[in-house]
């Protein structure tokens, strides 16, 4: 850039070696004479701050999270708010400005003529809230205008169980829940249908222990401790900008040790032995992944989803996604009487609130079944007792 020199003539100024675009932005602000955060807020557009904030998040958050933030920013936030000054989002006036923008996003029509989903609006606001929280932390604004907004009703879809009634309706009309899980009979039927698949131990593991697809793809042979009957989850496979990379789990709670029953432990042990015998000689699996394709290449999350879908369609069962198999593992654990805190740990959730909020519909249905069974047991004993009372009175 050109700046005035001591003789009044402009000269070119070059500076480099910045660790990120954010560092360069702050240096530029200092060069052009912005004295403090208030001046930056008055001069920078929201678009400029959002791009700077995204640059700051690189390295702090998972690449996939930054990519999702970037997508929301360019598709929704910059078109609605990008031309405003950052200071325009401060104070009560800023709250009103953001509310109008969110209302406009909520009225946005999609290509099929429907409105944008309420859950999508909630995610957009969450991204803006995070960006403005960082602006407030750095003294650029005094309040976070994305808090306490009126948002459309409805959030993310909750998992529901495939009941016989829902399955009959789906077979008759094609209507299906957005997120549905198999009951234990359907899970068992699926596992029986894929018994001869070379990845049967993977499908069994996800159905029983609820690993995310990226987590199960990243498992190494060394993560299995046969003696302790434990499996260590400490990384996941991600797709970032078209490349498959290995990174940390979704959150700190994602790093966990899962207990294994004797059957699952033996199943994984035999799978590991077969895989070593098959690929150990020619080095087709140099990184020692626990699950690979038939040719020894590591499995990728997208590939696992496509493979699962093909096997699911072949089985003829009600449709679910691979991720719904994880939801099903949580519901099966709940049906087996596992405590919520244990399910939270096994699912890798940071809070039991997340677990309860995600699976409350499934747990509620299980609760209805449980109380019906309990009431039936009580009624059966009550009938015997009443008959005895009647006989004694007679």
């Amino acid at each position: 850039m050109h700046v005035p020199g001591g003789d009044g003539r402009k000269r070119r100024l070059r500076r480099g070696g910045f660790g990120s675009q954010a560092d360069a932005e702050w240096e530029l602000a200092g060069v052009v004479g912005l004295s403090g955060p208030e001046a930056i807020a008055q001069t920078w557009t929201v678009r400029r701050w959002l791009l700077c904030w995204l640059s700051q998040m690189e390295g702090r958050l998972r690449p996939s999270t930054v990519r999702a933030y970037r997508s929301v920013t360019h598709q929704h936030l910059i078109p609605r708010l990008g031309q405003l000054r950052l200071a325009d989002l401060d104070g009560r006036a800023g709250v009103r400005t953001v509310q109008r923008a969110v209302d406009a996003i909520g009225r946005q029509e999609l290509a099929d003529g429907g409105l944008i989903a309420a859950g999508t609006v909630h995610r957009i606001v969450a991204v803006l809230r995070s960006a403005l929280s960082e602006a407030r932390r750095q003294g650029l604004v005094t309040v976070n205008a994305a808090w306490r907004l009126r948002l459309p009703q409805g959030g993310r879809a909750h998992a529901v169980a495939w009941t016989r009634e829902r399955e009959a309706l789906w077979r008759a009309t094609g209507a299906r829940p957005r997120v549905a899980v198999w009951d234990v009979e359907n899970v068992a039927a699926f596992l029986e249908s894929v018994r001869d698949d070379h990845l049967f131990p993977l499908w069994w593991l996800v159905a029983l222990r609820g690993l995310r697809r990226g987590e199960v793809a990243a498992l190494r042979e060394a993560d299995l401790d046969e003696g302790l009957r434990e499996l260590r989850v400490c990384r996941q496979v991600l797709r970032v900008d078209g490349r498959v990379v290995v990174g940390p789990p979704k959150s700190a709670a994602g790093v966990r040790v899962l207990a294994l029953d004797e059957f699952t432990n033996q199943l994984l042990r035999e799978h590991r032995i077969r895989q070593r015998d098959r690929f150990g000689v020619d080095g087709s699996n140099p990184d020692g992944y626990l699950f690979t394709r038939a040719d020894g290449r590591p499995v990728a999350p997208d590939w696992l989803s496509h493979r699962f879908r093909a096997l699911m369609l072949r089985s003829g069962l009600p449709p679910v996604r691979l991720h719904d198999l994880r939801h099903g593992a949580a519901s099966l654990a709940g049906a087996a009487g596992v405590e919520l805190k244990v399910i939270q740990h096994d699912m890798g959730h940071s809070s039991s609130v997340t677990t309860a909020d995600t699976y409350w519909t499934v747990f509620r249905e299980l609760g209805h079944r449980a109380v019906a069974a309990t009431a039936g047991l009580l009624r059966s004993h009550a009938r015997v007792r009443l008959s005895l009372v009647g006989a004694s009175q007679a």
Side-chain angles (χ1 to χ4, degrees):
M1 64 173 297
H2 291 85
V3 297
D7 57 359
R9 301 177 61 182
K10 290 187 177 181
R11 59 185 178 86
R12 181 179 295 275
L13 177 64
R14 295 181 181 273
R15 295 187 183 178
F18 301 110
S20 67
Q21 179 181 341
D23 295 337
E25 293 277 8
W26 284 115
E27 181 67 18
L28 176 62
V31 169
V32 298
L34 297 177
S35 59
E38 297 83 1
I40 293 177
Q42 291 290 340
T43 331
W44 282 26
T45 63
V46 174
R47 176 184 183 278
R48 186 176 181 183
W49 165 248
L50 289 173
L51 296 180
C52 178
W53 168 72
L54 287 171
S55 178
Q56 293 177 3
M57 293 302 102
E58 293 178 358
R60 300 185 192 178
L61 302 176
R62 294 187 309 152
S64 58
T65 302
V66 176
R67 181 182 59 190
Y69 283 5
R70 195 178 300 278
S71 175
V72 167
T73 297
H74 285 282
Q75 290 184 27
H76 301 284
L77 298 181
I78 289 179
R80 295 289 178 182
L81 298 167
Q83 75 282 2
L84 301 176
R85 295 176 304 158
L86 186 57
D88 293 334
L89 303 190
D90 203 1
R92 293 183 178 179
V95 174
R96 291 193 293 269
T97 298
V98 173
Q99 183 68 68
R100 286 194 295 269
V102 171
D103 292 343
I105 292 174
R107 294 191 297 268
Q108 181 178 332
E109 291 190 7
L110 303 178
D112 59 2
L115 295 179
I116 190 171
T120 302
V121 178
H122 283 243
R123 287 191 293 271
I124 294 169
V125 172
V127 173
L128 179 60
R129 187 181 299 133
S130 180
L132 293 181
S133 290
E134 182 63 20
R136 186 171 182 269
R137 190 187 71 81
Q138 297 184 22
L140 304 180
V141 294
T142 59
V143 298
N144 189 330
W147 282 104
R148 297 186 179 88
L149 296 176
R150 297 186 308 275
L151 300 179
Q153 294 296 318
R156 60 184 176 183
H158 291 279
V160 298
W162 270 113
T163 61
R164 297 296 170 258
E165 293 77 12
R166 290 192 180 106
E167 182 176 347
L169 179 64
W170 165 68
R171 294 190 183 280
T173 66
R176 52 171 293 188
R178 286 182 58 191
V179 181
V181 300
W182 285 329
D183 60 13
V184 63
E185 290 82 7
N186 281 336
V187 173
F190 171 75
L191 292 174
E192 290 174 2
S193 72
V194 298
R195 186 65 183 85
D196 296 329
D197 189 77
H198 82 282
L199 286 179
F200 171 78
L202 183 150
W203 310 126
W204 174 276
L205 184 63
V206 175
L208 178 70
R209 304 306 277 127
L211 278 78
R212 300 176 177 91
R213 62 177 193 170
E215 294 172 344
V216 75
L219 288 174
R220 310 290 177 94
E221 293 180 352
D223 294 326
L224 175 63
D225 190 321
E226 303 171 10
L228 295 177
R229 290 191 306 184
E230 292 179 344
L231 187 67
R232 185 167 183 261
V233 181
C234 56
R235 64 184 71 86
Q236 70 171 337
V237 175
L238 304 167
R239 179 172 292 277
V240 180
D241 297 330
R243 297 182 299 108
V244 175
V245 299
V246 178
K250 186 175 182 180
S251 66
V255 179
R256 59 201 188 278
V257 176
L258 299 177
L260 301 175
D261 63 283
E262 183 58 41
F263 174 80
T264 305
N265 190 56
Q266 182 68 14
L267 182 68
L268 295 178
R269 176 179 177 274
E270 294 175 356
H271 171 78
R272 183 168 63 178
I273 292 174
R274 288 194 303 270
Q275 190 158 269
R276 284 178 176 176
D277 292 342
R278 186 172 185 178
F279 302 120
V281 178
D282 60 4
S284 300
N285 184 22
D287 295 320
Y289 282 101
L290 184 58
F291 299 111
T292 67
R293 301 192 195 189
D295 59 3
R297 288 181 295 163
V299 295
D302 291 343
W303 185 87
L304 281 178
S305 292
H306 290 306
R307 178 65 179 165
F308 173 79
R309 175 175 171 78
L311 294 172
M312 180 269 298
L313 292 175
R314 189 184 307 169
S315 72
L317 293 167
V320 297
R321 306 165 303 169
L322 176 57
H323 194 74
D324 297 332
L325 208 59
R326 165 178 163 82
H327 293 325
S331 66
L332 291 176
V338 179
E339 294 182 2
L340 184 62
K341 195 68 177 178
V342 177
I343 299 176
Q344 170 204 335
H345 168 270
D346 292 348
M347 293 295 103
H349 290 158
S350 301
S351 168
S352 58
V353 175
T354 303
T355 309
D357 181 58
T358 303
Y359 303 117
W360 71 272
T361 305
V362 174
F363 290 160
R364 184 181 64 182
E365 293 184 2
L366 294 173
H368 283 299
R369 296 180 192 176
V371 73
T374 304
L377 178 64
L378 179 60
R379 289 200 314 273
S380 66
H381 284 271
R383 282 197 299 269
V384 173
R385 183 179 179 184
L386 289 174
S387 63
L388 291 176
V389 172
S392 64
Q393 292 176 345

